[in-house]
Amino acid sequence: MTTSAPLAPPVPADGPVPGTGHAPSHHGELLQGVFLDAGGRPCAGLVTLPLAGPGTRADFTPRPGTPPDAVTVLPGDRSKAARAARLAVAVCAGRTGRPARGGTLRLTGTVPLGLGMGSSTSDVLAAVRAVADAYGLRLDPGTTARLAVRAERASDPLMLDARPVLFAQREGRVLEVLGPALPPLLVVGCLLGDGAPVDTLALPAPTPTEAELRAYADLRDRLRRALAEGDAALLGRVATASARRAQRLLGHREFEPLVALARRTGAVGVQISHSGSVAGVLHDPAVPGAAARADATRRALDAHRIPYTRTFTAGPPTPAALQGIHAVRRPWTEKACSLH
């Protein structure tokens, strides 16, 4: 891992400056379960589906004479981001030799809360980056991941680059880089469980049997092969299998109807947030008629009264025939998505 690199000449100790940080969100997972690490130890791990769209901006304003643990956060309920800012202040002060100061952290963004889109990680990551920016630093991904896990106990891999990775979310480390990129995907997003928020950390900790470990290892192997071969259909089967296993905990009543309508509309599979309610129907944009199939999927969601949210693309650049389709979306509102 690289070390922190200064972004600008050191700021005098008596002249603190504000810092700004940004972080994305995601659209749930393609795979989540328990996997063996390089040492043969079982670890909870996940592979997220990137989403270019909702994100968080953080602005950190240091206050001279303020104790380092005195961080005020706005909105006031974002305690994990405040904790992350305090941890980042200690790290950045230690690396620069500048005073450790508290201050005000202001968060703004469009990531829906409690749906399994990484809202807390987005807040935490933006906060860490804002503090680092105030100290003239850019923290490396490994340091950022460790701070995120300390702040929220489990973190999504939003601090990493776009390569699909199997990430140990409770340890803040990469178990495997699965490939250079996802195959092209066209995703029709929706909400299960009426969009009700899920308390991720309240879910039972996984205690897999040997048979379950073998099943997760098989899904990992198949996903690795799907990425190596650019096989959207195989990826869709892996995502569906992983989502179905998660229903033992989540129990969304709409899940099987979602799988059935995906099959009817020519999708390659479905994906969900394994700790939330966001879900997506996956189409292969390389197959002719993808845009029409996405439209049919939206109509089928409406017919089943499953709230539709957005259509977007993932993976390499979008084929010309689908340029702009990611702009087809409905706003995240209480009326449309039962959000609170």
Side-chain angles (χ1 to χ4, degrees):
M1 292 182 180
T2 59
T3 57
S4 303
L7 297 178
V11 177
D14 58 352
V17 297
T20 301
H22 300 265
S25 61
H26 61 77
H27 200 265
E29 287 76 42
L30 294 167
L31 174 63
Q32 184 166 334
V34 180
F35 308 88
L36 299 182
D37 66 9
R41 183 173 65 88
C43 297
L46 52 78
V47 181
T48 56
L49 176 61
L51 173 62
T56 301
R57 171 187 169 121
D59 295 281
F60 179 68
T61 304
R63 301 297 184 193
T66 303
D69 61 346
V71 174
T72 302
V73 63
L74 302 170
D77 61 346
R78 307 297 174 86
S79 58
K80 294 177 182 177
R83 190 179 307 126
R86 297 184 191 104
L87 294 169
V89 164
V91 169
C92 293
R95 293 190 181 187
T96 62
R98 290 167 49 194
R101 294 186 172 104
T104 301
L105 176 70
R106 183 180 297 273
L107 301 171
T108 56
T110 56
V111 186
L113 305 181
L115 300 186
M117 296 177 66
S119 60
S120 60
T121 296
S122 188
D123 286 352
V124 162
L125 180 54
V128 169
R129 288 174 170 171
V131 170
D133 186 50
Y135 278 86
L137 294 176
R138 179 180 290 115
L139 296 178
D140 62 273
T143 298
T144 305
R146 288 189 292 274
L147 290 174
V149 170
R150 289 178 63 191
E152 57 173 338
R153 292 173 52 193
S155 172
D156 296 308
L158 300 177
M159 71 292 298
L160 304 176
D161 60 27
R163 292 179 300 170
V165 300
L166 181 62
F167 186 74
Q169 71 268 27
R170 295 177 182 269
E171 302 177 24
R173 64 189 179 100
V174 174
L175 298 177
E176 181 183 354
V177 177
L178 295 165
L182 296 174
L185 294 171
L186 177 60
V187 185
V188 181
C190 61
L191 294 176
L192 306 180
D194 297 321
V198 172
D199 183 353
T200 306
L201 295 176
L203 295 175
T207 52
T209 64
E210 288 297 324
E212 288 172 324
L213 285 173
R214 288 194 296 272
Y216 287 129
D218 177 64
L219 290 175
R220 177 181 185 174
D221 290 342
R222 292 163 63 194
L223 181 56
R224 188 189 301 116
R225 187 167 75 252
L227 299 183
E229 299 174 1
D231 190 336
L234 178 55
L235 181 148
R237 292 194 292 273
V238 170
T240 303
S242 181
R244 178 167 279 116
R245 297 185 71 85
Q247 293 311 305
R248 290 177 295 181
L249 286 178
L250 300 177
H252 292 307
R253 67 182 185 278
E254 310 96 330
F255 179 73
E256 290 303 336
L258 184 70
V259 173
L261 75 82
R263 188 179 301 115
R264 289 196 305 271
T265 58
V268 297
V270 301
Q271 60 84 215
I272 63 167
S273 167
H274 289 59
S275 57
S277 55
V278 73
V281 179
L282 307 176
H283 290 273
D284 183 352
V287 177
R293 292 195 304 278
D295 287 337
T297 301
R298 287 197 295 274
R299 292 194 298 271
L301 289 171
D302 287 340
H304 284 81
R305 298 185 179 180
I306 299 175
Y308 163 74
T309 55
R310 62 173 59 220
T311 300
F312 64 97
T313 56
T318 311
L322 299 178
Q323 291 291 342
I325 196 168
H326 61 277
V328 180
R329 63 188 66 159
R330 294 179 187 168
W332 297 97
T333 65
E334 182 175 350
K335 181 178 179 181
C337 303
S338 301
L339 303 184
H340 303 281

